Amino acid sequence: DIVLTQTPLSSPVTLGQPVSISCRSSQSLVNSDGNTYLNWLQQRPGQPPRLLLYKISNRFSGVPDRFSGSGAGTDFTLRISRVEAEDVGVYYCMQAMLPLPTFGQGTTVEIK
Amino acid sequence: EVQLVESGGGLVQPGGSLRLSCAASGFAFSSFYTAWVRQAPGKGLEWVGRISHRADNFATLYAASVRGRFIISRDDSKKSAYLEMNSLQHEDTAVYYCARENWSAFEYWGQGILVTVSS
């Protein structure tokens, strides 16, 4: 199975400041169709996960533009340009290549 | 509004069985894959499996940890998907989520349902 490693595992951040989360894959996530199915999800405390970005950098419906994604191949980054209080939670990268989807271990974003 | 609602969870003894349901509304359920994801208490997300739509022959795929014990099915006429769990073990204790899958993105999630395996 493809292993996704996120760093850091915890990120204390000041309100209004940026934060970046890295996701590294054990193998290239470029699919045979040319797409890279690397997604980012947010899980606020006590809530189900929510899709933020799909195929590296495409914001899902209703996601604020302070969330952005970048990367290629095996290295990907989620960036929040200016952290707001509602951004507190755990962020997961997720790959959807065959044979089986896998998640990163999660990165906790908290306010200093 | 897209909604997914899980039901059927609860307490079950080791070795027992349970069937979860996922009721969908607000979208064309039959046109999408449905995925199941679980989260053990205090832990991260674990993909459990998925079922495709009719056009892809209702194909199923499972994580190694549940293969042979769990079965995913769907009834498009009821806009529902199901997760039948057999031979349950302590390590299957988790909140189980169903999600709408579209081009490998889990777009919408249910609120989740707790399954506790304990004697």
Side-chain angles (χ1 to χ4, degrees):
Chain A
D1 293 354
I2 295 175
V3 177
L4 299 178
T5 302
Q6 292 182 226
T7 55
L9 295 183
S10 178
S11 185
V13 61
T14 302
L15 287 173
Q17 293 302 301
V19 66
S20 291
I21 299 169
S22 170
C23 176
R24 178 163 289 180
S25 174
S26 59
Q27 63 188 74
S28 174
L29 297 183
V30 180
N31 195 37
S32 56
D33 64 4
N35 289 306
T36 300
Y37 296 103
L38 187 284
N39 309 320
W40 289 95
L41 301 104
Q42 174 197 60
Q43 187 173 31
R44 292 169 172 154
Q47 295 293 312
R50 166 199 179 199
L51 178 65
L52 293 177
L53 305 171
Y54 62 96
K55 288 195 286 184
I56 304 175
S57 60
N58 297 275
R59 274 186 298 276
F60 188 57
S61 174
V63 175
D65 61 6
R66 64 178 181 274
F67 291 93
S68 62
S70 63
T74 61
D75 289 287
F76 306 91
T77 300
L78 169 69
R79 187 173 190 269
I80 310 173
S81 59
R82 296 173 304 279
V83 170
E84 298 188 4
E86 65 179 19
D87 299 335
V88 166
V90 181
Y91 292 78
Y92 296 91
C93 58
M94 175 211 156
Q95 67 78 23
M97 288 270 288
L98 289 176
L100 302 172
T102 52
F103 293 91
Q105 68 269 58
T107 294
T108 300
V109 171
E110 55 191 10
I111 304 301
K112 279 183 185 174
Chain B
E1 179 193 7
V2 172
Q3 278 199 317
L4 296 163
V5 179
E6 301 92 343
S7 61
L11 175 65
V12 60
Q13 292 190 337
S17 298
L18 211 55
R19 188 193 196 211
L20 304 183
S21 298
C22 170
S25 60
F27 67 100
F29 176 76
S30 61
S31 299
F32 294 88
Y33 287 28
T34 299
W36 288 91
V37 176
R38 67 184 181 183
Q39 187 169 35
K43 301 297 184 181
L45 302 172
E46 180 188 13
W47 179 82
V48 171
R50 67 116 111 106
I51 186 164
S52 72
H53 46 47
R54 176 183 292 276
D56 287 336
N57 300 312
F58 301 128
T60 53
L61 206 56
Y62 299 96
S65 57
V66 306
R67 197 174 300 136
R69 299 188 299 124
F70 289 13
I71 299 172
I72 299 173
S73 60
R74 64 189 294 160
D75 184 338
D76 288 348
S77 68
K78 296 183 178 178
K79 300 185 107 177
S80 293
Y82 307 98
L83 178 63
E84 182 180 340
M85 304 183 292
N86 302 302
S87 303
L88 283 162
Q89 305 161 6
H90 291 289
E91 49 268 35
D92 295 316
T93 293
V95 173
Y96 285 74
Y97 298 99
C98 62
R100 185 181 96 172
E101 182 179 341
N102 187 29
W103 286 101
S104 300
F106 295 176
E107 295 181 325
Y108 294 96
W109 297 63
Q111 284 295 312
I113 191 81
L114 178 62
V115 172
T116 303
V117 184
S118 175
S119 53

